[in-house]
Amino acid sequence: MDIKKYAVESDKIFLADESPEFAKLEGEVPEDERVWVKVRQATQADNIRLADINTQRERKYSGDQLTGNVNSVSLVYNSNPLRRQATQVYLTVVEIGNLTDGDKPVFDVAPLKKMPEATFLAKWGSLRTELANAIHKACLKVNPDWDDLLLGE
């Protein structure tokens, strides 16, 4: 089995299609000017890197002890969720298109993890929240097991 055959990289994911908040920010633009990303599926190395950020992860259930019915399930992390979000993007975004600062690309290295992490974090930290969240949603689309809202479903 050639494991390289099974690496998954998305086609272009248009951020406005993933996030209504970003769609409002981007506005009406020609198709060839829309902001997009390509994301790859995470590897075990990526998952290990993320696990290092999460020093504690616990799943809690609440419900009726007599019947055993579960009313809710929650995940509890002892970590910074924004740092986790940034790391997920850093590790899996292959390319970002039509995102510029003036006439220069905001992220001028592809894939993102080829740039020094400190450089990425400085650029990532300068983004508007709607943009950062839309990029992260694209990462979760390709890596749904990272989406805490799905609780592993």
Side-chain angles (χ1 to χ4, degrees):
M1 179 174 121
D2 181 0
I3 62 172
K4 290 182 181 173
K5 283 184 182 178
Y6 300 100
V8 175
E9 182 179 305
S10 73
D11 293 327
K12 291 179 181 178
I13 300 172
F14 292 94
L15 299 185
D17 295 343
E18 302 304 311
S19 167
E21 296 83 10
F22 181 75
K24 288 178 191 173
L25 182 66
E26 185 175 51
E28 293 293 326
V29 296
E31 181 79 16
D32 63 342
E33 294 178 19
R34 296 176 68 201
V35 179
W36 55 266
V37 297
K38 287 185 179 181
V39 180
R40 68 171 179 78
Q41 194 171 49
T43 63
Q44 273 305 99
D46 299 327
N47 290 325
I48 291 167
R49 175 88 182 270
L50 279 176
D52 289 341
I53 294 171
N54 299 322
T55 57
Q56 177 188 0
R57 180 179 177 177
E58 180 180 349
R59 191 175 293 212
K60 291 188 174 188
Y61 300 88
S62 64
D64 187 335
Q65 291 182 347
L66 294 175
T67 64
N69 291 335
V70 175
N71 295 332
S72 66
V73 180
S74 61
L75 286 175
V76 179
Y77 289 100
N78 184 14
S79 68
N80 178 336
L82 295 177
R83 174 59 182 201
R84 195 164 151 255
Q85 178 190 59
T87 301
Q88 289 171 334
V89 168
Y90 178 70
L91 293 174
T92 61
V93 169
V94 176
E95 187 177 0
I96 299 179
N98 296 326
L99 182 62
T100 59
D101 184 5
D103 61 348
K104 295 183 180 182
V106 173
F107 297 101
D108 53 355
V109 175
L112 295 184
K113 71 178 186 175
K114 286 194 174 185
M115 74 174 63
E117 191 169 5
T119 302
F120 165 77
L121 289 172
K123 292 179 181 207
W124 180 255
S126 71
L127 300 180
R128 290 185 56 150
T129 300
E130 300 92 340
L131 174 56
N133 287 341
I135 294 169
H136 186 243
K137 281 183 181 182
C139 288
L140 295 180
K141 183 175 186 172
V142 177
N143 296 287
D145 54 324
W146 283 353
D147 191 344
D148 294 337
L149 297 177
L150 296 178
L151 293 174
E153 293 178 5

